Coordinates of all heavy atoms in Angstrom, one line a residue:
L84 N -3.4 6.9 4.3 CA -4.2 7.8 5.2 C -5.6 7.2 5.5 O -6.0 7.2 6.6 CB -4.3 9.2 4.6 CG -5.0 10.2 5.5 CD1 -4.4 10.3 6.9 CD2 -5.0 11.6 4.8
N85 N -6.2 6.7 4.4 CA -7.6 6.2 4.6 C -7.5 4.9 5.6 O -8.4 4.8 6.4 CB -8.2 5.8 3.3 CG -8.8 7.0 2.6 OD1 -9.2 7.9 3.2 ND2 -8.7 6.9 1.3
A86 N -6.5 4.1 5.4 CA -6.3 3.0 6.3 C -6.1 3.5 7.8 O -6.6 2.9 8.7 CB -5.1 2.1 5.9
L87 N -5.3 4.5 7.9 CA -5.1 5.1 9.3 C -6.4 5.6 9.9 O -6.7 5.3 11.0 CB -4.0 6.2 9.2 CG -3.8 7.0 10.5 CD1 -3.0 6.2 11.4 CD2 -3.0 8.3 10.2
L88 N -7.2 6.3 9.1 CA -8.4 6.9 9.5 C -9.4 5.7 9.8 O -10.1 5.7 10.9 CB -9.1 7.8 8.5 CG -8.3 9.1 8.2 CD1 -8.9 9.8 6.9 CD2 -8.3 10.0 9.4
D89 N -9.5 4.7 9.0 CA -10.4 3.6 9.2 C -10.1 2.8 10.4 O -10.9 2.4 11.2 CB -10.5 2.7 8.0 CG -11.2 3.3 6.8 OD1 -11.9 4.3 7.0 OD2 -11.0 2.8 5.6
S90 N -8.8 2.5 10.6 CA -8.4 1.6 11.7 C -8.4 2.3 13.0 O -8.4 1.6 14.0 CB -7.0 1.0 11.4 OG -6.0 2.0 11.4
N91 N -8.5 3.6 13.0 CA -8.5 4.4 14.3 C -9.8 5.2 14.4 O -9.8 6.2 15.2 CB -7.3 5.2 14.4 CG -6.0 4.4 14.4 OD1 -5.7 3.8 15.4 ND2 -5.3 4.4 13.3
Q92 N -10.8 4.8 13.7 CA -12.1 5.5 13.8 C -12.6 5.6 15.2 O -12.6 4.6 16.0 CB -13.1 4.8 12.9 CG -14.3 5.6 12.6 CD -15.1 5.0 11.6 OE1 -15.1 3.8 11.4 NE2 -16.0 5.8 10.9
G93 N -13.0 6.8 15.6 CA -13.5 7.0 17.0 C -12.4 7.4 18.0 O -12.7 7.8 19.1
Q94 N -11.1 7.3 17.6 CA -10.0 7.6 18.5 C -9.6 9.1 18.1 O -9.5 9.4 17.0 CB -8.9 6.7 18.3 CG -9.2 5.3 18.7 CD -7.9 4.4 18.5 OE1 -6.8 4.8 18.6 NE2 -8.2 3.1 18.3
D95 N -9.3 9.8 19.1 CA -8.9 11.2 18.9 C -7.4 11.3 18.7 O -6.9 12.3 18.1 CB -9.2 12.1 20.1 CG -10.7 12.4 20.2 OD1 -11.4 12.2 19.1 OD2 -11.2 12.9 21.2
E96 N -6.6 10.3 19.1 CA -5.2 10.3 19.1 C -4.6 8.9 18.9 O -5.2 8.0 19.4 CB -4.7 10.9 20.4 CG -3.3 11.3 20.4 CD -3.0 12.0 21.7 OE1 -2.8 11.4 22.7 OE2 -2.9 13.3 21.7
V97 N -3.6 8.9 18.1 CA -2.9 7.6 17.8 C -1.4 7.8 18.1 O -0.8 8.8 17.7 CB -3.1 7.2 16.3 CG1 -2.3 6.0 16.0 CG2 -4.5 7.1 15.9
I98 N -0.8 6.8 18.8 CA 0.6 6.7 18.9 C 1.1 5.6 18.0 O 1.0 4.4 18.3 CB 1.0 6.4 20.4 CG1 0.5 7.5 21.3 CG2 2.5 6.3 20.5 CD1 0.7 7.2 22.8
P99 N 1.6 6.0 16.8 CA 1.8 5.1 15.7 C 3.1 4.3 15.9 O 3.3 3.3 15.2 CB 1.9 5.9 14.5 CG 2.3 7.3 15.0 CD 1.8 7.4 16.3
D100 N 4.0 4.8 16.7 CA 5.4 4.2 16.8 C 5.7 4.0 18.3 O 6.0 5.0 19.0 CB 6.4 5.1 16.2 CG 7.8 4.5 16.1 OD1 8.0 3.5 16.8 OD2 8.6 5.1 15.4
A101 N 5.7 2.7 18.8 CA 5.9 2.4 20.2 C 7.4 2.9 20.6 O 7.6 3.2 21.8 CB 5.8 1.0 20.4
N102 N 8.3 3.0 19.6 CA 9.6 3.4 19.9 C 9.7 5.0 20.1 O 10.7 5.5 20.6 CB 10.6 3.0 18.8 CG 10.7 1.5 18.7 OD1 10.8 0.8 19.8 ND2 10.8 1.0 17.5
Q103 N 8.7 5.7 19.7 CA 8.6 7.1 19.8 C 7.3 7.5 20.6 O 6.4 8.1 20.0 CB 8.7 7.8 18.4 CG 10.0 7.6 17.7 CD 11.1 8.3 18.4 OE1 10.9 9.3 19.1 NE2 12.3 7.8 18.3
P104 N 7.2 7.2 21.9 CA 6.0 7.6 22.6 C 5.7 9.1 22.7 O 4.6 9.5 23.0 CB 6.2 6.9 23.9 CG 7.6 6.8 24.1 CD 8.2 6.6 22.7
G105 N 6.7 9.9 22.4 CA 6.5 11.3 22.4 C 6.0 11.9 21.1 O 6.0 13.1 20.9
F106 N 5.5 11.0 20.2 CA 5.0 11.4 18.9 C 3.5 10.9 18.8 O 3.3 9.7 19.0 CB 5.8 10.9 17.7 CG 5.2 11.1 16.4 CD1 4.8 12.3 15.9 CD2 5.0 10.0 15.6 CE1 4.2 12.5 14.7 CE2 4.4 10.1 14.4 CZ 4.0 11.4 13.9
R107 N 2.6 11.8 18.4 CA 1.2 11.4 18.3 C 0.6 11.9 17.0 O 1.1 13.0 16.5 CB 0.4 11.9 19.5 CG 0.9 11.4 20.8 CD 0.0 11.9 21.9 NE 0.3 11.2 23.2 CZ 1.2 11.6 24.1 NH1 1.8 12.7 23.9 NH2 1.4 10.8 25.2
I108 N -0.4 11.2 16.5 CA -1.1 11.7 15.4 C -2.5 12.0 15.9 O -3.2 11.2 16.5 CB -1.2 10.7 14.2 CG1 0.2 10.5 13.6 CG2 -2.2 11.2 13.2 CD1 0.2 9.5 12.5
S109 N -3.0 13.3 15.7 CA -4.3 13.7 16.2 C -5.3 13.5 15.1 O -5.1 14.0 14.0 CB -4.3 15.2 16.6 OG -5.6 15.6 16.9
L110 N -6.4 12.8 15.4 CA -7.5 12.6 14.5 C -8.8 13.2 15.1 O -9.9 12.9 14.7 CB -7.7 11.1 14.2 CG -6.5 10.4 13.6 CD1 -6.8 8.9 13.5 CD2 -6.1 11.0 12.3
N111 N -8.6 14.0 16.1 CA -9.7 14.6 16.8 C -10.4 15.5 15.8 O -9.8 16.4 15.2 CB -9.1 15.5 18.0 CG -10.2 16.3 18.7 OD1 -10.9 17.1 18.1 ND2 -10.3 16.0 20.0
P112 N -11.7 15.3 15.6 CA -12.5 16.1 14.6 C -12.4 17.6 14.8 O -12.3 18.4 13.8 CB -13.9 15.7 14.8 CG -13.8 14.3 15.4 CD -12.6 14.3 16.3
H113 N -12.3 18.1 16.1 CA -12.1 19.5 16.3 C -10.8 20.0 15.8 O -10.7 21.0 15.1 CB -12.3 19.8 17.8 CG -12.1 21.2 18.2 ND1 -13.0 22.2 17.9 CD2 -11.1 21.8 18.9 CE1 -12.6 23.3 18.4 NE2 -11.4 23.1 19.0
N114 N -9.7 19.2 16.1 CA -8.4 19.6 15.6 C -8.3 19.6 14.0 O -7.7 20.4 13.4 CB -7.3 18.7 16.1 CG -7.0 19.0 17.6 OD1 -7.5 19.9 18.1 ND2 -6.3 18.1 18.2
L115 N -8.9 18.5 13.4 CA -9.0 18.4 12.0 C -9.6 19.7 11.4 O -9.1 20.2 10.4 CB -9.7 17.2 11.5 CG -9.0 15.8 11.9 CD1 -10.0 14.7 11.6 CD2 -7.7 15.7 11.1
E116 N -10.7 20.1 12.0 CA -11.4 21.3 11.5 C -10.6 22.6 11.7 O -10.5 23.4 10.8 CB -12.8 21.4 12.1 CG -13.6 22.6 11.7 CD -14.1 22.5 10.2 OE1 -13.8 21.5 9.5 OE2 -14.7 23.5 9.8
L117 N -10.0 22.7 12.8 CA -9.2 23.9 13.1 C -8.0 24.0 12.1 O -7.8 25.1 11.6 CB -8.6 23.9 14.5 CG -9.7 24.2 15.6 CD1 -9.0 24.0 17.0 CD2 -10.2 25.6 15.5
W118 N -7.4 22.9 11.8 CA -6.2 23.0 10.9 C -6.7 23.2 9.5 O -6.0 23.8 8.7 CB -5.3 21.7 11.0 CG -4.5 21.8 12.3 CD1 -4.6 21.0 13.4 CD2 -3.5 22.7 12.6 NE1 -3.7 21.3 14.3 CE2 -3.0 22.4 13.9 CE3 -2.9 23.8 11.9 CZ2 -2.0 23.1 14.5 CZ3 -1.9 24.5 12.5 CH2 -1.4 24.1 13.8
R119 N -7.9 22.6 9.1 CA -8.4 22.8 7.8 C -8.7 24.3 7.6 O -8.3 24.9 6.5 CB -9.7 22.1 7.6 CG -10.4 22.3 6.2 CD -11.7 21.6 6.2 NE -12.8 22.3 6.9 CZ -13.5 23.3 6.5 NH1 -13.3 23.8 5.2 NH2 -14.4 23.9 7.2
L120 N -9.3 25.0 8.5 CA -9.6 26.4 8.4 C -8.3 27.2 8.4 O -8.2 28.2 7.7 CB -10.5 26.8 9.6 CG -11.9 26.3 9.5 CD1 -12.7 26.6 10.8 CD2 -12.7 26.7 8.3
E121 N -7.4 26.9 9.2 CA -6.1 27.6 9.3 C -5.4 27.5 7.9 O -4.8 28.5 7.4 CB -5.2 27.0 10.4 CG -4.0 27.8 10.7 CD -4.2 29.2 11.3 OE1 -5.3 29.4 12.0 OE2 -3.4 30.1 11.2
H122 N -5.4 26.3 7.3 CA -4.7 26.1 6.0 C -5.4 27.0 5.0 O -4.7 27.6 4.2 CB -4.8 24.6 5.6 CG -3.9 24.3 4.4 ND1 -4.4 24.4 3.2 CD2 -2.6 24.0 4.3 CE1 -3.5 24.0 2.3 NE2 -2.4 23.8 3.0
R123 N -6.7 27.0 5.0 CA -7.4 27.9 4.0 C -7.1 29.3 4.2 O -7.1 30.1 3.2 CB -8.9 27.7 4.2 CG -9.5 26.5 3.5 CD -11.0 26.6 3.5 NE -11.5 25.5 2.7 CZ -12.8 25.2 2.7 NH1 -13.7 25.9 3.4 NH2 -13.2 24.2 2.0

Side-chain angles (χ1 to χ4, degrees):
L84 181 57
N85 282 327
L87 176 73
L88 293 170
D89 288 343
S90 65
N91 295 288
Q92 194 170 22
Q94 295 181 30
D95 286 345
E96 194 172 79
V97 177
I98 299 174
D100 186 348
N102 295 321
Q103 292 297 327
F106 169 59
R107 296 181 170 96
I108 294 177
S109 174
L110 300 176
N111 178 300
H113 179 70
N114 288 349
L115 293 170
E116 180 66 4
L117 287 174
W118 286 113
R119 178 186 75 86
L120 294 173
E121 190 70 22
H122 190 268
R123 276 193 177 168

